[in-house]
Amino acid sequence: MIRLARLALLVLAAAPAASRAQQGPSAEERFRGLPPEKQEELRRRYRELQQLPPEERQRIQDNLARLNRMSPDEHARVDENYRRFRAMPPEQRQQVLQEWQRFRSLSPQEREQLRESLRRVMTADPDQRRQILENMDRWQRMTPEQREDARQRFREQRQERRQERQEQRRERKQERRERHLEQKERLRRH
């Protein structure tokens, strides 16, 4: 699977931005314009691609089609992310790929929860973001037992807040009931 990610990244890097925007020379002309060693690398990668199961090849084709539909700004972001990825030391790239695989193994609901958490971090003001990141770092340093203790405290706090909200709702409902009865009584007197 890591090989697939690398292959997709290589294909993306080999395709000039102009070609992804459906303009400029044909794919064959671009290929012929590459240095011989790059042509051989692409041939080798193509052979590897052809040996993949059909569903994996389809997934790669779908991803490339999605890339082709991106706006120039989105392409620039993808290109920049790829450049930063390639500039990482090999062990960091491996770690990123492992994390990506862990992300891909999550259920769609878990992935969406993770995306939403990331959105909250990214949109938080700088002080909140710093606090969130410090909490995440502290969580990573905890032992499994410490994490479970923290989860239990969080569950207890959440239950307490839930009970407080229920009590507040009951009080508001009772106040409304009393006001309603007072209004009925005033109307009855008149």
Side-chain angles (χ1 to χ4, degrees):
M1 203 50 96
I2 291 171
R3 196 175 83 206
L4 290 177
R6 288 182 181 149
L7 177 61
L9 291 172
L10 177 66
V11 170
L12 176 61
S19 70
R20 290 189 304 251
Q22 305 288 335
Q23 52 191 347
S26 71
E28 183 176 349
E29 291 168 332
R30 287 191 315 274
F31 178 78
R32 301 257 179 249
L34 292 172
E37 62 275 3
K38 195 62 137 173
Q39 288 181 12
E40 187 50 42
E41 165 103 12
L42 287 175
R43 284 187 187 103
R44 184 178 59 77
R45 295 289 183 159
Y46 179 77
R47 287 189 296 271
E48 288 178 11
L49 182 65
Q50 293 305 308
Q51 293 174 0
L52 295 174
E55 60 276 359
E56 289 184 36
R57 284 197 314 261
Q58 183 61 49
R59 188 175 60 76
I60 290 171
Q61 286 178 332
D62 293 345
N63 286 341
L64 289 173
R66 194 176 82 237
L67 287 170
N68 283 331
R69 290 189 303 269
M70 286 182 177
S71 71
D73 287 342
E74 290 170 317
H75 273 294
R77 246 189 354 264
V78 169
D79 289 342
E80 176 60 20
N81 286 342
Y82 179 72
R83 187 196 59 72
R84 286 197 324 243
F85 176 79
R86 294 301 298 167
M88 289 178 178
E91 59 276 359
Q92 282 183 342
R93 282 198 309 261
Q94 185 64 30
Q95 185 178 5
V96 167
L97 291 172
Q98 286 171 347
E99 291 299 320
W100 174 246
Q101 289 306 319
R102 278 189 9 186
F103 177 78
R104 298 282 300 169
S105 69
L106 297 174
S107 72
Q109 296 83 5
E110 291 170 319
R111 280 189 240 159
E112 186 51 40
Q113 287 173 344
L114 191 56
R115 284 185 189 105
E116 182 55 36
S117 296
L118 181 59
R119 277 191 284 276
R120 280 196 306 269
V121 170
M122 298 309 290
T123 59
D125 69 59
D127 289 336
Q128 287 177 319
R129 185 178 311 120
R130 182 185 47 72
Q131 184 63 50
I132 292 168
L133 294 173
E134 286 174 7
N135 289 346
M136 290 169 67
D137 185 50
R138 193 172 24 255
W139 182 263
Q140 290 298 318
R141 290 192 313 263
M142 287 181 172
T143 66
E145 295 80 21
Q146 291 170 322
R147 289 180 187 171
E148 187 52 40
D149 288 345
R151 284 184 190 104
Q152 184 59 37
R153 282 193 309 274
F154 179 75
R155 284 191 286 270
E156 290 168 0
Q157 290 171 351
R158 187 172 51 197
Q159 182 62 28
E160 288 172 11
R161 286 191 304 269
R162 188 177 296 134
Q163 288 173 345
E164 287 173 10
R165 287 191 305 270
Q166 287 174 343
E167 182 60 32
Q168 289 170 350
R169 281 193 294 271
R170 278 193 290 269
E171 289 173 3
R172 286 193 304 269
K173 188 175 181 179
Q174 181 61 33
E175 288 172 3
R176 284 192 304 268
R177 212 177 281 136
E178 289 172 4
R179 281 195 307 271
H180 180 72
L181 289 174
E182 288 173 4
Q183 287 176 349
K184 279 178 88 174
E185 181 61 28
R186 272 187 260 147
L187 289 174
R188 191 181 60 80
R189 282 190 245 149
H190 288 97

